[in-house]
Amino acid sequence: MYGLGILKGLGVTIRHFFNSYIEDLRGAGAKLLGDETVFRRRQSLDSIGIFTVQYPDEKLAVPERFRFVPFLVTEDADHPERPGHDWCTSCGICAKVCPPQCIWIVRGEDPVTKRPIPEPEAFFIDIDICMNCGYCAEFCPFDAIKMDHNYELASYDRTGRHIYDLPKLRKPLSYWKTIAPTTAAEEAEARGGWDHPDVIKEKKKQADAAAKAAAAKPAPAPVAEVKTTAVAPGNVAAVSEKAADISAEQAATARAAETVAAQAEAVAPAVDEEAAKAERLRKREEALARKRAKDQGGG
Ligand code: SF4
Ligand code: SF4
């Protein structure tokens, strides 16, 4: 039938038209209360009808991976050790990799020694040239530069408002945690904590040094050491045999000692007899000598 396709098409349009009002009426209460989840639901695939946002009165939430011009991460104002401190070490990598070359960095220097220090003295990004590629954030080795979600940057003053300097670029770490909680948590896990990578490295170095110092201290004198030897179950018989051998050897040694003692006892009277015989001979010789002397004196 001619015109059936046209009627079908009009039917689809009319269905979407009425579905839009049904969805709007469903979310009207939440909208009035300022609940932004209503926009997320309208953006989802479950939503029906035509969906129009009354921008700028109504704004859609951007996804976590959304990226607009970069910002520089700083410590939170209530950080215990370095409140408000820049995470940027002014290494210059982001400026090198930026395809349209819209980043300028002036490295900080020590006011006394005039030596370079790892923090930026000045940092500029021309947001009209930035093409939101995210290379700077991708390549920064210190997680110090991140892509922002704020896209309302239009103004009539290009030179005064579109060259972002340090005060405009700085945002605390807590802000990054708010706009990209999943990515921030993944980065912290990869770094080994929520601190700046250099701070984490320094803390690890100190902990290692303390552990080394503790290990280098002289150990207390050991209490009497008892040497024990574990015997495998299969070797028990061998050990018992060895012990029996040792006992037999000891017994044989004891018997030999007894024999020697007995022999010594047997030899002892013979020795005594010899000594007595020698004594008798000596006395006899003395008596004969006295007799001879007497005979000579009497004659
Ligand atoms: S790469 Fe990171 S640390 Fe290096 S200058 Fe850029 S923002 Fe700073
Ligand atoms: S987002 Fe891309 S273009 Fe913009 S400053 Fe970073 S590297 Fe450059």
Side-chain angles (χ1 to χ4, degrees):
M1 189 184 134
Y2 289 113
L4 190 60
I6 294 171
L7 286 175
K8 271 187 183 172
L10 284 173
V12 170
T13 307
I14 289 169
R15 198 173 71 241
H16 277 301
F17 178 77
F18 285 109
N19 279 345
S20 304
Y21 286 104
I22 291 167
E23 276 289 304
D24 277 351
L25 286 171
R26 268 192 205 155
K31 240 183 187 181
L32 279 174
L33 292 171
D35 180 1
E36 288 185 1
T37 55
V38 69
F39 294 118
R40 270 190 220 128
R41 195 170 57 75
R42 290 303 305 266
Q43 281 176 291
S44 74
L45 293 175
D46 299 333
S47 180
I48 53 172
I50 298 159
F51 173 41
T52 308
V53 175
Q54 304 299 318
Y55 183 82
D57 297 329
E58 296 171 352
K59 286 176 198 163
L60 289 178
V62 293
E64 188 173 326
R65 295 276 176 184
F66 179 84
R67 52 173 201 258
F68 212 59
V69 293
F71 71 93
L72 291 174
V73 176
T74 66
E75 300 288 10
D76 291 338
D78 60 352
H79 191 277
E81 288 137 23
R82 348 183 295 157
H85 200 283
D86 286 310
W87 275 40
C88 173
T89 61
S90 71
C91 68
I93 290 175
C94 55
K96 276 202 178 77
V97 298
C98 175
Q101 293 287 286
C102 63
I103 300 179
W104 297 275
I105 305 168
V106 179
R107 187 159 208 186
E109 63 173 29
D110 189 296
V112 181
T113 62
K114 301 291 174 200
R115 289 170 70 90
I117 52 172
E119 52 190 66
E121 190 179 303
F123 201 115
F124 300 99
I125 297 180
D126 187 331
I127 64 160
D128 282 341
I129 296 177
C130 172
M131 58 187 198
N132 318 124
C133 65
Y135 271 26
C136 49
E138 206 59 49
F139 280 87
C140 174
F142 300 96
D143 289 335
I145 189 164
K146 297 289 163 208
M147 301 307 287
D148 207 345
H149 284 186
N150 181 17
Y151 51 84
E152 295 177 315
L153 307 175
S155 85
Y156 291 108
D157 178 8
R158 165 165 163 64
T159 45
R161 288 175 183 258
H162 290 188
I163 311 279
Y164 275 28
D165 58 2
L166 264 180
K168 262 190 172 176
L169 287 167
R170 282 179 177 141
K171 290 192 178 173
L173 179 66
S174 52
Y175 172 74
W176 176 234
K177 285 186 198 168
T178 314
I179 63 169
T182 317
T183 316
E186 284 169 1
E187 288 169 354
E189 197 185 340
R191 278 197 306 274
W194 284 104
D195 279 317
H196 186 277
D198 280 353
V199 175
I200 291 173
K201 219 186 282 174
E202 187 56 36
K203 281 183 182 171
K204 194 172 173 303
K205 216 192 278 176
Q206 284 174 3
D208 287 350
K212 261 188 199 165
K217 269 188 191 168
V223 191
E225 193 183 330
V226 179
K227 276 194 179 173
T228 55
T229 309
V231 179
N235 291 339
V236 171
V239 171
S240 305
E241 237 173 68
K242 188 91 181 163
D245 288 347
I246 291 167
S247 303
E249 270 176 32
Q250 285 174 344
T253 310
R255 274 198 303 278
E258 277 171 17
T259 311
V260 169
Q263 284 172 351
E265 269 177 25
V267 169
V271 172
D272 289 347
E273 207 172 290
E274 285 291 322
K277 199 176 170 184
E279 181 67 13
R280 274 199 308 273
L281 277 171
R282 188 182 60 79
K283 280 182 181 172
R284 192 179 155 199
E285 287 295 331
E286 279 179 1
L288 281 171
R290 271 197 308 272
K291 190 172 178 290
R292 261 187 240 119
K294 198 176 171 183
D295 288 346
Q296 283 172 3

